[in-house]
Amino acid sequence: MSQWPTATVRYVLIGYVLIPLAINVAINVFLGWLLFLDQESVPVWEFPQSVAMEVVGTGCLLPLITAMISSRVLLRHLRSGIVQPVPKTEVGSGVVSRSLSWVGRVLQGASFGGCLLFSVVAFPFLTIPAFLALLGFPDDSVGLFTLIAMKAVYAGLCGLVVTPVIAVGLLRDGNHSLE
């Protein structure tokens, strides 16, 4: 990223890091409050309502919805010249480069199927670390404020991973056509 045009770096940082971070945190704070307002505490490991089920829901829906919105916006911005693609050589090499190429190919047309596939692949990378963190949680339940804080942090971290990956994958040269 050090050799990317300054305008592209600014575009990614603002449009694919800061704005999605604020949106993901705000939506998850609101949903946590709305869904659990009438409960004094929320179990960590129960079905259907628990912290673990919130992790599953967020880990599945956040990458899907983010991919559906972000890929369409970015592809339109590429087509209209608002942002320029980045040469593949500037993105990296090895596993990271191949992974970003895959993301760009899967989301290239911004189709629902591509977004769903991206979400399915992202799901374990987002949920397994969260479940491991929950295993170390000392209590069987959490209060409403703690749940909301956990949702906000988790959604923010997921968004900080998912959205820039989508942006960089699609900004690579040759990955910018809209079906």
Side-chain angles (χ1 to χ4, degrees):
M1 238 170 112
S2 63
Q3 297 178 0
W4 285 19
T6 306
T8 303
V9 172
R10 186 174 34 255
Y11 175 87
V12 171
L13 287 177
I14 293 171
Y16 288 83
V17 175
L18 297 177
I19 292 172
L21 174 65
I23 291 170
N24 288 330
V25 168
I27 287 172
N28 276 274
V29 165
F30 176 71
L31 286 174
W33 174 79
L34 185 65
L35 294 172
F36 298 99
L37 180 62
D38 60 339
Q39 298 181 18
E40 288 184 28
S41 66
V42 177
V44 174
W45 298 100
E46 284 188 17
F47 184 81
Q49 284 194 322
S50 67
V51 176
M53 291 297 101
E54 289 299 307
V55 167
V56 168
T58 302
C60 180
L61 292 175
L62 187 141
L64 176 63
I65 294 168
T66 301
M68 289 172 61
I69 295 169
S70 295
S71 60
R72 288 207 172 271
V73 169
L74 182 56
L75 290 170
R76 282 193 185 104
H77 287 177
L78 281 165
R79 270 196 336 199
S80 66
I82 292 173
V83 66
Q84 297 301 313
V86 177
K88 289 181 182 181
T89 57
E90 298 297 327
V91 179
S93 60
V95 174
V96 172
S97 182
R98 287 191 301 273
S99 299
L100 291 171
S101 289
W102 178 84
V103 170
R105 284 191 312 274
V106 166
L107 298 178
Q108 184 173 6
S111 70
F112 178 75
C115 294
L116 184 61
L117 179 59
F118 173 76
S119 179
V120 167
V121 170
F123 180 78
F125 293 102
L126 300 175
T127 56
I128 290 172
F131 280 148
L132 292 174
L134 288 177
L135 287 173
F137 202 77
D139 299 323
D140 292 335
S141 64
V142 297
L144 180 61
F145 178 77
T146 303
L147 171 75
I148 290 172
M150 290 170 73
K151 280 183 66 63
V153 168
Y154 179 62
L157 291 173
C158 287
L160 286 175
V161 171
V162 168
T163 317
V165 164
I166 292 169
V168 174
L170 287 172
L171 280 172
R172 294 170 62 107
D173 226 353
N175 287 332
H176 53 278
S177 64
L178 195 63
E179 288 181 342

